[in-house]
Short mmCIF file of all heavy atoms in Angstrom, two decimals:
data_model
loop_
_atom_site.label_atom_id
_atom_site.label_comp_id
_atom_site.label_asym_id
_atom_site.label_seq_id
_atom_site.Cartn_x
_atom_site.Cartn_y
_atom_site.Cartn_z
N MET A 97 3.55 -22.09 14.56
CA MET A 97 4.38 -21.15 13.87
C MET A 97 3.58 -20.44 12.74
O MET A 97 3.66 -19.19 12.58
CB MET A 97 5.61 -21.76 13.27
CG MET A 97 6.53 -22.48 14.30
SD MET A 97 7.24 -21.35 15.50
CE MET A 97 6.10 -21.52 16.88
N ARG A 101 2.60 -16.32 12.69
CA ARG A 101 2.92 -15.42 11.59
C ARG A 101 1.65 -14.72 11.12
O ARG A 101 1.70 -13.53 10.81
CB ARG A 101 3.59 -16.15 10.44
CG ARG A 101 5.00 -16.62 10.78
CD ARG A 101 5.77 -17.00 9.52
NE ARG A 101 5.18 -18.08 8.78
CZ ARG A 101 5.42 -19.37 9.04
NH1 ARG A 101 6.25 -19.73 10.01
NH2 ARG A 101 4.84 -20.30 8.29
N GLY A 126 11.36 -8.05 16.75
CA GLY A 126 11.14 -9.39 17.27
C GLY A 126 12.24 -9.82 18.21
O GLY A 126 13.42 -9.54 17.97
N THR A 127 11.88 -10.57 19.22
CA THR A 127 12.84 -11.06 20.20
C THR A 127 12.74 -12.55 20.28
O THR A 127 11.60 -13.16 20.24
CB THR A 127 12.64 -10.39 21.57
OG1 THR A 127 13.72 -10.80 22.44
CG2 THR A 127 11.32 -10.74 22.20
N SER A 128 13.86 -13.26 20.41
CA SER A 128 13.91 -14.74 20.56
C SER A 128 13.18 -15.38 19.41
O SER A 128 13.45 -15.13 18.21
CB SER A 128 13.37 -15.09 21.91
OG SER A 128 13.60 -16.42 22.25
N LEU A 129 12.21 -16.25 19.73
CA LEU A 129 11.47 -16.91 18.65
C LEU A 129 10.60 -15.90 17.87
O LEU A 129 10.29 -16.13 16.70
CB LEU A 129 10.61 -18.04 19.15
CG LEU A 129 9.95 -18.97 18.12
CD1 LEU A 129 10.98 -19.69 17.31
CD2 LEU A 129 9.00 -19.96 18.78
N GLY A 130 10.25 -14.81 18.51
CA GLY A 130 9.53 -13.75 17.81
C GLY A 130 10.34 -13.17 16.64
O GLY A 130 9.77 -12.67 15.65
N ALA A 131 11.66 -13.26 16.72
CA ALA A 131 12.52 -12.82 15.64
C ALA A 131 12.28 -13.67 14.42
O ALA A 131 12.30 -13.18 13.25
CB ALA A 131 14.00 -12.85 16.03
N MET A 132 12.09 -14.98 14.62
CA MET A 132 11.78 -15.86 13.50
C MET A 132 10.54 -15.41 12.76
O MET A 132 10.54 -15.31 11.51
CB MET A 132 11.53 -17.27 14.04
CG MET A 132 11.16 -18.30 12.99
SD MET A 132 12.57 -19.08 12.17
CE MET A 132 13.12 -20.18 13.46
N HIS A 133 9.51 -15.05 13.53
CA HIS A 133 8.28 -14.59 12.87
C HIS A 133 8.46 -13.27 12.19
O HIS A 133 7.97 -13.03 11.07
CB HIS A 133 7.15 -14.50 13.93
CG HIS A 133 6.90 -15.77 14.65
ND1 HIS A 133 6.88 -16.98 14.04
CD2 HIS A 133 6.62 -16.02 15.99
CE1 HIS A 133 6.61 -17.95 14.95
NE2 HIS A 133 6.49 -17.36 16.12
N ALA A 134 9.14 -12.33 12.89
CA ALA A 134 9.40 -11.01 12.29
C ALA A 134 10.16 -11.13 10.98
O ALA A 134 9.80 -10.46 10.02
CB ALA A 134 10.16 -10.14 13.28
N LEU A 135 11.16 -11.98 10.95
CA LEU A 135 11.93 -12.15 9.70
C LEU A 135 11.13 -12.80 8.59
O LEU A 135 11.19 -12.37 7.42
CB LEU A 135 13.21 -12.97 10.00
CG LEU A 135 14.23 -12.31 10.92
CD1 LEU A 135 15.24 -13.30 11.39
CD2 LEU A 135 14.88 -11.13 10.23
N ARG A 136 10.37 -13.84 8.93
CA ARG A 136 9.56 -14.50 7.89
C ARG A 136 8.45 -13.56 7.36
O ARG A 136 8.21 -13.54 6.14
CB ARG A 136 8.92 -15.75 8.53
CG ARG A 136 9.88 -16.89 8.81
CD ARG A 136 10.31 -17.65 7.54
NE ARG A 136 9.14 -18.22 6.89
CZ ARG A 136 8.75 -19.48 7.06
NH1 ARG A 136 9.40 -20.30 7.94
NH2 ARG A 136 7.74 -19.99 6.39
N VAL A 137 7.88 -12.76 8.22
CA VAL A 137 6.86 -11.84 7.75
C VAL A 137 7.49 -10.75 6.94
O VAL A 137 6.97 -10.30 5.89
CB VAL A 137 6.07 -11.25 8.96
CG1 VAL A 137 5.19 -10.07 8.52
CG2 VAL A 137 5.22 -12.33 9.64
N VAL A 149 15.70 -7.33 15.17
CA VAL A 149 15.56 -8.55 15.96
C VAL A 149 16.72 -8.65 16.96
O VAL A 149 17.82 -8.20 16.69
CB VAL A 149 15.53 -9.82 15.03
CG1 VAL A 149 14.30 -9.82 14.17
CG2 VAL A 149 16.78 -9.96 14.19
N PRO A 152 18.05 -13.53 18.45
CA PRO A 152 17.09 -14.19 17.54
C PRO A 152 17.29 -15.71 17.43
O PRO A 152 18.38 -16.25 17.32
CB PRO A 152 17.39 -13.54 16.16
CG PRO A 152 18.82 -13.19 16.26
CD PRO A 152 19.08 -12.79 17.65
N ILE A 153 16.16 -16.43 17.44
CA ILE A 153 16.11 -17.84 17.09
C ILE A 153 15.65 -17.90 15.64
O ILE A 153 14.54 -17.56 15.32
CB ILE A 153 15.15 -18.64 17.99
CG1 ILE A 153 15.56 -18.48 19.49
CG2 ILE A 153 15.07 -20.09 17.60
CD1 ILE A 153 16.93 -18.97 19.77
N VAL A 154 16.59 -18.26 14.75
CA VAL A 154 16.32 -18.15 13.31
C VAL A 154 16.38 -19.44 12.58
O VAL A 154 15.99 -19.51 11.41
CB VAL A 154 17.27 -17.14 12.67
CG1 VAL A 154 17.12 -15.77 13.26
CG2 VAL A 154 18.70 -17.60 12.79
N TYR A 155 16.84 -20.53 13.26
CA TYR A 155 17.01 -21.79 12.57
C TYR A 155 16.57 -22.91 13.50
O TYR A 155 17.29 -23.38 14.36
CB TYR A 155 18.46 -21.97 12.15
CG TYR A 155 18.75 -23.19 11.31
CD1 TYR A 155 18.09 -23.34 10.05
CD2 TYR A 155 19.65 -24.18 11.72
CE1 TYR A 155 18.34 -24.47 9.28
CE2 TYR A 155 19.89 -25.30 10.94
CZ TYR A 155 19.24 -25.42 9.70
OH TYR A 155 19.46 -26.54 8.95
N GLY A 156 15.31 -23.34 13.36
CA GLY A 156 14.70 -24.31 14.28
C GLY A 156 15.50 -25.55 14.47
O GLY A 156 15.65 -26.03 15.63
N LEU A 233 8.29 -26.18 15.93
CA LEU A 233 9.45 -25.37 16.41
C LEU A 233 10.75 -25.89 15.80
O LEU A 233 11.64 -25.12 15.49
CB LEU A 233 9.50 -25.43 17.93
CG LEU A 233 8.31 -24.93 18.71
CD1 LEU A 233 8.58 -25.07 20.21
CD2 LEU A 233 7.95 -23.51 18.39
N VAL A 236 11.01 -25.09 11.59
CA VAL A 236 10.88 -23.77 10.97
C VAL A 236 12.26 -23.06 10.87
O VAL A 236 13.13 -23.31 11.73
CB VAL A 236 9.86 -22.89 11.75
CG1 VAL A 236 10.43 -22.51 13.11
CG2 VAL A 236 9.45 -21.70 10.96
N THR A 237 12.42 -22.24 9.87
CA THR A 237 13.68 -21.49 9.69
C THR A 237 13.41 -20.15 9.02
O THR A 237 12.45 -19.97 8.29
CB THR A 237 14.66 -22.30 8.81
OG1 THR A 237 15.87 -21.54 8.66
CG2 THR A 237 14.10 -22.63 7.45
N ALA A 238 14.32 -19.20 9.33
CA ALA A 238 14.26 -17.91 8.66
C ALA A 238 15.46 -17.69 7.80
O ALA A 238 15.48 -16.72 6.97
CB ALA A 238 14.15 -16.78 9.68
N THR A 239 16.49 -18.52 7.92
CA THR A 239 17.74 -18.25 7.21
C THR A 239 17.61 -18.26 5.70
O THR A 239 18.17 -17.42 5.00
CB THR A 239 18.81 -19.22 7.64
OG1 THR A 239 18.31 -20.58 7.46
CG2 THR A 239 19.24 -19.05 9.10
#
Side-chain angles (χ1 to χ4, degrees):
M97 301 297 96
R101 290 195 299 273
T127 186
S128 191
L129 189 63
M132 178 86 75
H133 303 319
L135 294 167
R136 290 284 298 267
V137 170
V149 294
I153 302 300
V154 299
Y155 186 60
L233 303 179
V236 70
T237 178
T239 53

